[in-house]
Structures are given as C-alpha cells and as structure tokens.
Amino acid sequence: MTDRDQPVPVEDTERRSLDLRSMTAARVSLGRFGAGQPTKVQLAFLMDHARAREAVWSGMDRHGLSQRLKSMGLGAIEVASLAEDRGTYVRRPDLGRQLSRPSVDLLRSVRPESGDNFDVVIVVADGLSSNAVEINATPLIEALQTRLKELNLSLAPIVLAENARVALADPVGEALGAKLSIILIGERPGLSAADSLGAYVTYEPRSGTPDSRRNCISNIRDGGMSIASAADAITALVKAMMQTGISGVALRDAAALLG
C-alpha cells in the first residue's frame, strides 16, 4: 500500500473542514448524518432562506432613511417606479426601470433655476434587499458626501426610490439634469448574505441608457467590501468619468489615455 492509499485520519478531515469554513461564508463542508445532513445544517438553511425571502419582500423604510439623511444635513426626495406594489415589482422588472409621471414632475421642479445642473445625484433604491439599504446606505452616503465635496462636485438632494431597478437612475438623473448618477441598491440575496448593497455609476444618465455604460461596485456589506473601500472605489470612478466624459466598459481605456 502506497502513502497515497493510506486512509486519512478522522481528526485531519475535521481540521481541514474547519479551515475551509473559516475562509468562506459559502455553504461548504456541511457534514452528514447517515444519508442526510445534520439537523443543525438543515435549520440553518431554513433560517438563511427565510432571511433571503424577507429581504426581497420587505419594503424600504423611506421615512426613517429620510430622517437620518436630514440629521446629516442632506435633503431627500421620495419617488416611485411604475411598479405599484412589491408583487408587481418582482414579476415585472421593466416597470421597476421606469419613473412614475408624478415623480418626473417632482424632480424637474427642484432643478436649479440658474441652469447650473447638479454634478451628481445619489439614488437609494430598495432593489431586491431592503435590509442591505437599511444597514449600509446611510454610512456609505456619509462617506461619499465628504469625498464628493473634496472634488468640488455639487450634490443633488438624495433620491429615495421605491420598487426600483438599477436603470431607474437614468430617468432620475435626466429629470434633475445631473451629469452623473450613483444608485445604491439592494442586491439579490443569497443563502450566505441577504444584506449586500450594490452601487452603479453612470455618466450622463438618460432614459434608455444601456447597461454597458454603467460601472458597478458590488458586495458592499460587513463581511464583503467595507464602506470606506466602497466609497473610495466609487469616488475613483466618479473622478475618472468627470475627466473623460465616459462611463461603462470604455472607461478603462479612456482613463488610461489620460495617464
């Protein structure tokens, strides 16, 4: 019998499983009990599944978020997509990308009378995880506010969007006349994370903008990308877009030409 054929001691197998689980939040090395999984693992699965469902079906607390923004000295505007309820939003992604007519009129009414457009608008959208917004949106906006001010960029009132998809930032930016939009949106929850926030940045947001003209920062959460790192990455994108007038897949090449 060769060394390769020697049985691996049980304690070594358990040690390797523990090491693997410490490296990832994914469902690995779950063990077994007879032909099935241990009861603890089954219960953990049911709990994670329930958290994911809750994240998708719960609405965003726009009033609470508005109050927190107010304490930071930021104004907020509440808007809605054409998806009138959560069920419609889940079944009809196309409606979540379109801004309601009253929302368009409201945003147009707050455009600067001087004709000087806002540089940046930040949109906060429930997306597919209101939990992600509740936990991560406010500290990220606070970090972004400081960084955008250092770049001498004007910030529009924060837009709080209900039943919104990523592309809703396009008509929002268009109605406000903003040069650039940042949408912070709850990402689709999984069984290892139901509180992940995504950020999509678009230069010259307009209705019908293709996804290829957006840049994304993903997995913003405790255990993923930190708030500070996300704020730095978003700010770097904003700076590059303002310099090049380009966003999306062509941004890297354009930024490289600037050195």
Side-chain angles (χ1 to χ4, degrees), residues 22-256:
S22 68
M23 296 170 61
T24 177
R27 309 180 71 80
V28 298
S29 300
L30 299 179
R32 67 178 183 178
F33 189 81
Q37 294 180 332
T39 301
K40 183 178 180 180
V41 171
Q42 290 279 18
L43 293 176
F45 172 85
L46 294 174
M47 175 63 76
D48 291 339
H49 186 258
R51 286 173 177 158
R53 288 180 58 86
E54 180 188 26
V56 170
W57 290 100
S58 297
M60 180 172 66
D61 180 10
R62 292 192 293 175
H63 176 72
L65 182 54
S66 179
Q67 291 301 307
R68 291 195 293 274
L69 293 172
K70 185 177 180 180
S71 69
M72 293 162 50
L74 296 173
I77 302 173
E78 297 185 13
V79 302
S81 72
L82 290 182
E84 297 181 352
D85 54 58
R86 202 66 183 163
T88 302
Y89 169 78
V90 171
R91 293 191 301 269
R92 293 286 305 274
D94 58 312
L95 296 182
R97 301 184 183 107
Q98 302 176 60
L99 200 58
S100 69
R101 186 71 243 179
S103 297
V104 173
D105 294 338
L106 174 61
L107 292 172
R108 286 178 175 173
S109 71
V110 301
R111 291 179 67 160
E113 295 181 0
S114 63
D116 294 330
N117 293 338
F118 296 111
D119 290 318
V120 179
V121 58
I122 297 177
V123 183
V124 181
D126 42 16
L128 290 169
S129 175
S130 59
N131 294 344
V133 172
E134 182 69 22
I135 296 170
N136 302 300
T138 303
L140 181 54
I141 291 172
E142 185 173 16
L144 285 173
Q145 179 190 22
T146 302
R147 288 161 173 78
L148 294 175
K149 187 176 297 184
E150 292 173 352
L151 294 177
N152 295 316
L153 298 176
S154 60
L155 181 63
I158 308 300
V159 176
L160 309 180
E162 184 177 33
N163 293 330
R165 300 281 176 170
V166 170
L168 193 77
D170 297 335
V172 168
E174 186 175 26
L176 283 171
K179 297 177 184 177
L180 182 147
S181 68
I182 302 170
I183 183 166
L184 309 179
I185 188 166
E187 296 183 316
R188 187 185 307 275
L191 293 177
S192 59
D195 59 351
S196 179
L197 191 73
Y200 293 79
V201 191
T202 308
Y203 189 78
E204 289 189 344
R206 299 292 183 269
S207 297
T209 297
D211 289 339
S212 60
R213 285 191 49 216
R214 311 186 202 286
N215 295 86
C216 175
I217 304 294
S218 185
N219 196 33
I220 305 169
R221 65 181 182 90
D222 184 20
M225 177 175 279
S226 70
I227 295 295
S229 295
D232 287 341
I234 294 169
T235 303
L237 286 174
V238 170
K239 185 177 181 180
M241 290 176 191
M242 287 298 187
Q243 290 175 336
T244 63
I246 294 173
S247 62
V249 296
L251 178 62
R252 178 178 296 180
D253 291 340

